[in-house]
Amino acid sequence: MSSAIRQEETTAPHARWIAQGQSTIRHEAEVMLRVAETLDERFAAAVEMVLHCRGDVVVCGIGKAGHVGTKLAATLASTGTRSHFLHPAEAIHGDLGRVGDQDIVLMLSQSGETEEIVRLLPMIQGLGAPIVAITSSAQNTLGQASKVVLELGGITEACPLNLAPTASTAAMLAMGDALAMTVSQHRGFRPEDFARYHPGGSLGRRLAFVEEKMRPLAQCRVASDQLSIRDVFRTVRVAGRRTGAVMLTDSEGRLSGIFTDSDLARLFEQDEVVDIERPIASVMTRRPKTTTVGTRFQTALNRLADDKISELPVIDHEGRPLGMLDVTDMVGQVPADADAEDQPVGPPTLKIRFPNQDEHEA
């Protein structure tokens, strides 16, 4: 068999697989676009209910709808709406105690006739919690028991057998996300709020402020710019690993300059005899690059890379030093914004080039 024939046999099924994958995605996209066009005052009523909810939004579903529900509960909670997931099977074994009359129950079921969901309806109604349903029709059992119904309509699944929940769960997820995002925007949810709920991971690092990541002043070398070079390096010490720079202040405590270990090395390289009794102010870098308290950590990190410096003093709005961003502290705190191949995460692979000699001139 020739190589050309073998290549054709290998390529043929791959082309079919790609076409089938594209067909599934297009089908689900078309379903979601159709659902988007059906939003009406009932959606606005659901938004109003969530906005005025004094308790939690309790999300409930089973099977594939339950998996969607756990994601929606997490999305609501992370964007400013208190929420948790209630599993229907666990609900009838004590977890109904999580539901109160100040809560809203967001129930997910495409058919609206799922046995576990139908069984719960009178119990939830007895607890006094109104139900918002994401389901196919207001006429099914779930729809009739709900205060507000967000109808998805009849949906043909992307499954070739029209059995596995695919397009219906995609539409369910989109409807839930639409509800969560609309509520979040109306509440004026800000990046600062998002950071509060995401202190870990790359999102938390990207949204953190410099004062959360800097080396505090007690761990930095700070000295008066009136001291001699000798006195600065003899008397200004801190416990633990020191930074590669000394922040220098004027008589009012404002940052007036910076003197790095590289500056000291250059001084010895340039002069055969170095007068270490001369005031450090005469050799320090004046008007060093700084960042102000309240600046995003990612912004400061970008400046370290763009300006090719190893230390960035953090100052208050009066110019007084509060701490230091040191590149060696930053290693491992770089958010993985780029593709893993372009910008891996971890100390050995941080792709920021820092020269041996600092370039602090403003």
Side-chain angles (χ1 to χ4, degrees), residues 229 259 262-271 274 278 283:
I229 300 172
F259 190 80
S262 294
D263 289 331
L264 182 62
R266 276 198 299 272
L267 202 60
F268 279 95
E269 289 169 0
Q270 293 168 1
D271 298 322
V274 176
R278 65 195 295 191
V283 293

Side-chain angles (χ1 to χ4, degrees), residues 266 289 307-310 355 357-362:
R266 276 198 299 272
K289 294 178 174 69
D307 293 343
K308 298 181 176 62
I309 55 176
S310 302
Q357 294 184 341
D358 300 318
E359 299 171 7
H360 268 284
E361 298 294 341

Side-chain angles (χ1 to χ4, degrees), residues 42-109:
R42 291 174 296 179
F43 180 80
V47 171
E48 191 79 21
M49 285 178 64
V50 175
L51 283 171
H52 292 94
C53 177
R54 297 175 63 186
D56 290 3
V57 175
V58 182
V59 186
C60 187
I62 198 165
K64 304 300 184 294
H67 294 310
V68 171
T70 58
K71 186 273 178 187
L72 290 179
T75 297
L76 285 162
S78 69
T79 55
T81 298
R82 292 202 315 273
S83 179
H84 63 267
F85 179 75
L86 176 69
H87 194 286
E90 299 295 339
I92 61 173
H93 290 283
D95 279 7
L96 269 174
R98 298 182 181 186
V99 183
D101 59 7
Q102 300 298 311
D103 298 329
I104 293 171
V105 178
L106 178 62
M107 301 201 78
L108 282 62
S109 171

Side-chain angles (χ1 to χ4, degrees), residues 235-314:
T235 62
V236 181
R237 300 174 183 175
V238 293
R241 192 189 63 78
R242 61 182 177 80
T243 62
V246 181
M247 291 185 286
L248 301 162
T249 58
D250 61 19
S251 59
E252 296 183 0
R254 291 190 293 262
L255 186 72
S256 57
I258 193 169
F259 190 80
T260 69
D261 291 351
S262 294
D263 289 331
L264 182 62
R266 276 198 299 272
L267 202 60
F268 279 95
E269 289 169 0
Q270 293 168 1
D271 298 322
E272 293 184 4
V273 179
V274 176
D275 180 9
I276 61 173
E277 302 301 336
R278 65 195 295 191
I280 197 166
S282 64
V283 293
M284 71 181 183
T285 297
R286 297 180 181 274
R287 299 183 302 280
K289 294 178 174 69
T290 61
T291 188
T292 308
V293 63
T295 301
R296 294 283 180 197
F297 171 68
Q298 183 64 50
T299 301
L301 192 64
N302 290 342
R303 186 164 194 197
L304 276 168
D306 293 342
D307 293 343
K308 298 181 176 62
I309 55 176
S310 302
E311 296 88 11
L312 190 64
V314 179

Side-chain angles (χ1 to χ4, degrees), residues 37 156 206 229:
E37 295 302 319
T156 301
R206 185 182 305 119
I229 300 172

